[in-house]
Amino acid sequence: MTCIIGYEHNGVVWIGGDSAGTASDMTQRVRKDKKVFIRDEFIFGFCGSFRMGDLLKHTFVLPSPQKGGDDVAYMVNDFVDALRQCFDAENKKSGDEKIVPYILVGYRGKLFNIQGDYQVAQTEDGYDAVGSGADIALGAMHASQSIKNVKKRIESALAASAKNNAAVRPPFHVLSLKYKQ
């Protein structure tokens, strides 16, 4: 339960997220560890279990891309296969609690949404969101198209989500990663 927003434009991917750690019984803590981070040439934002974030930051082995290869094919095949192996290994250890991906990933200036069935989605709008506050954030992103400052636009969408969803809380963290060809 959270809100993660991603935006791609001119070779830069922005991802912003809230800081709520909300349990199924709706108890909540503001977490020090962030749901948005950069690792190598990837920018990530995750929702769901913070264990997923731990795995993405410290355990997941990023597959090497092929030079001149197709970025979408890399994400659909190599990236997702490695991600599935990482999460499957964790799921075998943990019993009932299953890690299910709901992740925004920026790679080479493109925004990808890795959904629960491991499909790789991209939107025509250039922005996307995941988490319990996603619909509110998507509406705010649509309504704020005239705002040119991307960081302020994402922060405003996160604030709208926090105002209208009990599982979204500041502080908000917004990072960007520019693709260096």
Side-chain angles (χ1 to χ4, degrees):
M1 293 187 231
T2 195
C3 188
I4 304 294
I5 303 169
Y7 181 82
E8 70 175 53
H9 184 67
N10 290 336
V12 179
V13 176
W14 296 77
I15 298 183
D18 75 315
S19 295
T22 309
S24 59
D25 66 358
M26 292 307 288
T27 57
Q28 188 179 80
R29 303 286 185 273
V30 173
R31 297 284 298 243
K32 189 175 185 178
D33 46 342
K34 296 172 180 51
K35 301 174 191 177
V36 177
F37 59 94
I38 294 171
R39 185 170 164 213
D40 297 331
E41 60 181 309
F42 295 86
I43 183 170
F44 290 91
F46 69 92
C47 66
S49 170
F50 274 82
R51 180 65 180 149
M52 182 185 339
D54 293 340
L55 294 170
L56 289 170
K57 290 175 192 172
H58 306 292
T59 304
F60 176 48
V61 178
L62 294 165
S64 298
Q66 295 179 347
K67 290 222 182 237
D70 179 85
D71 295 336
V72 174
Y74 166 78
M75 292 299 292
V76 168
N77 296 307
D78 303 335
F79 186 91
V80 164
D81 285 350
L83 186 67
R84 186 185 303 266
Q85 287 176 12
C86 178
F87 289 177
D88 284 352
E90 178 68 16
N91 288 339
K92 285 178 186 168
K93 290 189 253 179
S94 63
D96 291 340
E97 290 293 318
K98 299 293 181 203
I99 302 290
V100 178
Y102 289 97
I103 309 164
L104 294 183
V105 181
Y107 174 67
R108 293 188 174 174
K110 298 175 185 78
L111 179 66
F112 299 94
N113 182 335
I114 312 297
Q115 298 181 6
D117 62 356
Y118 292 93
Q119 70 174 280
V120 177
Q122 291 181 280
T123 68
E124 287 289 329
D125 297 323
Y127 59 86
D128 207 345
V130 292
S132 61
D135 286 343
I136 298 162
L138 290 170
M141 289 295 286
H142 176 77
S144 66
Q145 292 179 51
S146 63
I147 297 173
K148 299 300 178 205
N149 183 315
V150 176
K151 184 176 182 186
K152 286 186 182 195
R153 190 172 172 200
I154 290 173
E155 288 172 339
S156 178
L158 287 166
S161 187
K163 172 82 173 154
N164 295 285
N165 185 295
V168 180
R169 286 287 169 267
F172 306 128
H173 304 282
V174 180
L175 300 175
S176 64
L177 183 63
K178 181 177 175 120
Y179 175 48
K180 298 173 188 155
Q181 297 180 346

